[in-house]
Amino acid sequence: MSDSHDADCFADHASFQTVEVVENVRLATDTWRIRFRVPEMARQFVPGQFLMMRLAGYDDPLLGRPFALYDTVVADPPSLGTSSDPAPSPTDIDVVYLVMGKMTTRLARFRPGDKLDIWGPLGNGFPAPAADDLILVGGGIGQTPFLAYAREALRRRKYGESARQQSLARRVTLCYGARRADYLAGVADFEQLGVDVRISTDDGSAGHHGFVTDLVRHVLAQGGDSPSASRQIVCCGPWRMMQAVAEIARAQKVPCWASLETPMACGIGICFSCVARIRDAAGNWDYRRTCVEGPVFDAERVVW
């Protein structure tokens, strides 16, 4: 865990920009994907980081809202080239969001050319992939930070201005829980990457009828003789779901990281509205700001 005086605990590399919406498309019930062009910021993002967003020119809501990076996009890839050509840099950022309040209700009405105020990249992001079997657990809208991470783990793309060192994942599994089948969003994006997608729904309308944690137990049981060190769990979603995933991981001695979704106001560590109780190496807990010291924490250190 970073000390509060370390440079890593400050949003030193974040920038504030006003951008135009490129597209805003519906993916599922109450779920949309918005895209905007911001090349400088897109090149800096690593999976698990987030940005803050406001509706430019509007005062209600006044404060920004946090949104996870869904993926960066190469808007105009070259049509011709050779294997020796450098990989094109991303120019666009995709964010997937669920309509559930005033901000997202208004955001769903935005069209190409409408403007947003954004600041980022923010947060620490996920650790560089370092497991043979990567298990991603998302509940509700919690699957959204995982597409870029799966792409990185499978070495389909490098993220950040200085590429991170990581091992190639042998298998990436997404355990995705939703209320109903019509709320499932982005499944095809994961499947096109070669991710093994396991679905659960509360009403049984798709996949397993029950909790997403049932899928996690099943995937871990299928691991066979693989040593626990070769597996890694990353989760994001409702607090109780992540707590249950953390307990499963602890029992199976599998490293687990949790991306917390605490409410935020500033995103840069000023307002202290997003604090979570996190233990240090000695087992003592203190409040840590999710926006700058997270949002990703070792699940063993979260006081659930």
Side-chain angles (χ1 to χ4, degrees), residues 135 171 173 175 198 215-223 231:
I135 303 168
R171 180 178 65 176
T173 305
C175 299
R198 313 286 183 95
L215 301 179
V216 177
R217 292 188 181 93
H218 184 67
V219 170
L220 289 173
Q222 288 183 321
R231 290 183 285 178

Side-chain angles (χ1 to χ4, degrees), residues 42-43 72-91 151 155-161 163:
R43 289 195 296 267
T72 57
V73 181
V74 178
D76 300 305
S79 57
L80 297 175
T82 66
S83 59
S84 61
D85 292 335
S89 297
T91 56
R151 198 184 300 277
R155 290 190 179 175
R156 303 296 179 83
R157 185 183 301 166
K158 296 180 179 180
Y159 291 83
E161 292 187 314

Side-chain angles (χ1 to χ4, degrees), residues 105-173:
T105 296
R106 300 190 77 170
L107 186 61
R109 300 171 184 158
F110 270 44
R111 296 295 178 263
D114 290 338
K115 294 184 178 181
L116 300 167
D117 291 333
I118 63 171
W119 52 104
L122 302 170
N124 56 359
F126 297 126
D132 293 330
D133 292 343
L134 178 60
I135 303 168
L136 312 171
V137 187
I141 198 67
Q143 89 288 5
T144 56
F146 294 148
L147 183 66
Y149 197 41
R151 198 184 300 277
E152 182 183 41
L154 294 169
R155 290 190 179 175
R156 303 296 179 83
R157 185 183 301 166
K158 296 180 179 180
Y159 291 83
E161 292 187 314
S162 58
R164 309 194 297 173
Q165 297 294 322
Q166 85 273 357
S167 61
L168 174 65
R170 177 176 58 86
R171 180 178 65 176
V172 178
T173 305

Side-chain angles (χ1 to χ4, degrees), residues 55-103:
L55 310 180
Y58 295 86
D59 295 328
D60 190 12
L62 179 63
L63 300 176
R65 300 289 189 271
F67 294 90
L69 171 74
Y70 186 61
D71 208 354
T72 57
V73 181
V74 178
D76 300 305
S79 57
L80 297 175
T82 66
S83 59
S84 61
D85 292 335
S89 297
T91 56
D92 295 2
I93 287 177
D94 278 354
V95 165
V96 172
Y97 63 95
L98 179 68
V99 175
M100 58 184 303
K102 184 181 296 182
M103 164 75 172

Side-chain angles (χ1 to χ4, degrees), residues 58 112 123 137 140 149-150 173 177 182 185 195 235 248 257 266 302:
Y58 295 86
V137 187
Y149 197 41
T173 305
D182 56 307
V195 174
C235 62
I248 294 170
W257 298 86
C266 72
V302 179

Side-chain angles (χ1 to χ4, degrees), residues 183-202:
Y183 277 93
L184 296 168
V187 173
D189 293 336
F190 286 93
E191 291 177 336
Q192 288 171 3
L193 278 178
V195 174
D196 180 10
V197 180
R198 313 286 183 95
I199 299 295
S200 71
T201 48
D202 293 345

